[in-house]
């Protein structure tokens, strides 16, 4: 954690704040909650993915509980979201962009930490994705939404691309700040493009049958 | 664990039994389950919060799996709840009090253990709350209820107060059995008063709009 | 992990593949998801129970993230399930049998690993059950189904029997490949018989009242 270069740390803290803000706003959109519920969900979104990663790579207590900046930014994002929830509709485009920022930075940093912990190539990519989507998945489950990662292929896929570029550059000795930023940018662009263009991953054949499309979705 | 003074241990075991009983009764209220499901949910309620805390402070295996009294009381509470579920309506006031007992003891002991594990002031308070509300949150999610901690501000807030008093007295060297009992009593009173008076934490502005109040709630 | 005799390893890998395939098929049945969602749920079903066990016995990173065969079989099962999901109805009997295979092998191996980690008799049996039902429970929660383990007594009970036989034979020095296979077979038979005969564990008195039977179930 402490050895993280300043720009990566800045990215990680930005992602934490973005997820705290965004997670809380998403929670407000899905269920009417009081200030405690909103802040709790913001913190869970911001810290949850990293918790799962740190548990699985046996790096405990989680880094974000040892460094006050992380949990303060996560809680602060949640509080700001509560204050802003009156203007929710106008904020929707910003929510999506903030979410893409968190997704990108967490995928890169998660994959890199998993490699540092001695995991292989595939599990490291997997843990990058888990770091990126884990917090939002816990939040969605708590407010009884089908998690975004299950509904939308182009949520896990950009995280996978960001994590894979990270792992590839580490394995080839090319990893560094430019590679990390490039990997995060790739994830961010795919995510935002997917949102704009309404792209999606392939679905099972049944869902394309007439009259039945997506009828089971949240 | 073993160094815990006898009255705190008694409190902790009481909380475990109360949560086992109460968690199982809540489960029966929310969904018709067979005896296995009821006991499982009682055990999850009683042991889940401590599991999350012990994972995050890297104190594994969890203390409650190493000491037979914990898991026996948790399972026993669940079994008694199954036997009593016929009289559910008459038991509702007792359920709330039992829940407040578990909430109070777990908040105090959780915060104290997190400090022992070397966490800072804010994360220790946070983990006190997580210990207190974690098990019930897992239970609610499994039976598809929006977790109490998200719906009711005066569920997390008393736990926060109990954990904060605990941390404050430890940091000022005043912690001991009287302080622990006082912190637990403060949490208990706030929780029970909140229930009696129907108090709640502030909600986002939208929920106060006419015709839309709480319409998304479970 | 590496010390596991070849037939037990084969059983464990078979269970992982069976749960990956079965978990993904169950997910397709419960909610229309794209290929990413289906594979994610297959992997969660196959790896989730072992993750919880490995976290609680402090054996991290989880064995299944260190050995490529596990996560490859889990993901492969999910991919095959996605390809097969067109023929879902015809596959239902096979899904149940595959599920029973995973349940049986995971209960035995989970209990045995928990004993190896120094847990007592009751927690080891408990962790055998958790290994067997944990992944499916996470999957069900994510797709918003009441978990099978809560709805159906004869899901946890066979796992309990398999885990208990395992622990009993270890404690009496009789554990070995035949005992492990016998314990798995006992679990498998009880589960399959329960399915065929529609057996169930006792329910609370209220559910037997006229007009109200199981009305709260998923």
């Amino acid at each position: 954690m402490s050895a993280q270069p300043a720009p990566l740390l800045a990215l990680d803290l930005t992602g934490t704040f973005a997820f705290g803000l965004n997670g809380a706003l998403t929670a407000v959109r899905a269920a009417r909650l009081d200030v405690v519920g909103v802040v709790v969900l913001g913190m869970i979104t911001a810290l949850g993915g990293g918790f799962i990663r740190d548990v699985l790579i046996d790096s405990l207590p989680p880094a974000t509980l040892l460094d006050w900046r992380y949990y303060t930014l996560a809680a602060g994002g949640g509080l700001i979201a509560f204050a802003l929830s009156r203007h929710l509709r106008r904020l929707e485009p910003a929510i999506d962009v903030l979410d893409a920022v968190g997704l990108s930075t967490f995928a890169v940093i998660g994959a890199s930490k998993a490699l540092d912990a001695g995991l292989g190539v595939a599990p490291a990519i997997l843990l990058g994705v888990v770091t990126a989507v884990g917090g939002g998945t816990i939040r969605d489950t708590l407010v009884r939404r089908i998690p975004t990662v299950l509904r939308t292929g182009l949520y896990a896929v950009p995280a996978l691309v960001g994590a894979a570029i990270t792992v590839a550059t580490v394995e080839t000795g090319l990893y560094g700040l430019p590679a990390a930023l490039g990997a995060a940018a790739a994830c961010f662009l795919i995510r935002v493009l997917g949102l704009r263009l309404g792209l999606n991953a392939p679905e099972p054949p049944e869902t394309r049958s007439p009259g039945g499309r997506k009828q089971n979705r949240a």
Side-chain angles (χ1 to χ4, degrees), chain A:
Chain A
M1 200 78 219
S2 48
Q4 221 173 198
L8 273 190
L9 174 66
L11 212 62
D12 202 15
L13 292 171
T14 306
T16 302
F17 179 73
F19 262 5
L21 188 55
N22 158 280
L25 285 173
T26 309
V28 171
R29 194 158 49 169
R32 290 284 161 250
L33 305 167
D34 62 30
V35 62
V36 177
V38 170
V39 174
V40 164
L41 285 175
M43 295 188 78
I44 284 172
T45 310
L47 307 178
F51 279 6
I52 301 176
R53 176 203 60 214
D54 287 347
V55 167
L56 293 179
I57 65 174
D58 201 13
S59 164
L60 295 168
T64 51
L65 284 186
L66 297 176
D67 184 331
W68 65 271
R69 293 171 295 190
Y70 284 94
Y71 55 76
T72 307
L73 281 170
L79 274 172
I80 293 174
F82 182 77
L84 290 179
S85 59
R86 183 191 294 269
H87 311 291
L88 196 58
R89 210 150 304 191
R90 239 179 308 155
L91 290 168
E92 296 228 346
I95 296 182
D96 284 338
V97 170
L98 283 173
D99 193 53
V101 170
L103 191 77
S104 310
T105 58
F106 279 26
V108 170
I109 288 164
S112 144
K113 285 193 178 183
L115 283 178
D116 286 349
L119 289 188
V121 163
I125 295 174
L126 199 66
L127 282 190
V129 176
V130 166
T131 308
V133 309
T137 300
I138 301 175
R139 175 204 61 212
D140 286 343
T141 305
L142 292 176
V143 299
R144 301 195 302 181
R145 302 204 315 165
I146 298 260
T148 310
V149 65
L150 296 180
R151 284 182 297 139
T152 320
L154 279 187
Y155 196 70
V157 167
L160 199 75
V161 169
I165 296 176
T166 304
V167 169
T169 54
V170 170
E171 293 292 306
T172 53
L174 300 171
Y175 189 69
L177 188 59
L181 293 175
C187 172
F188 181 83
L189 286 174
I190 298 173
R191 174 66 186 144
V192 170
L193 271 176
L195 276 170
R196 288 289 144 84
L197 306 177
L199 295 181
N200 226 325
E203 298 189 7
E206 287 91 326
T207 47
R208 292 192 207 100
S209 68
R213 187 161 170 80
K214 297 184 182 183
Q215 78 280 28
N216 284 324
R217 294 202 168 183

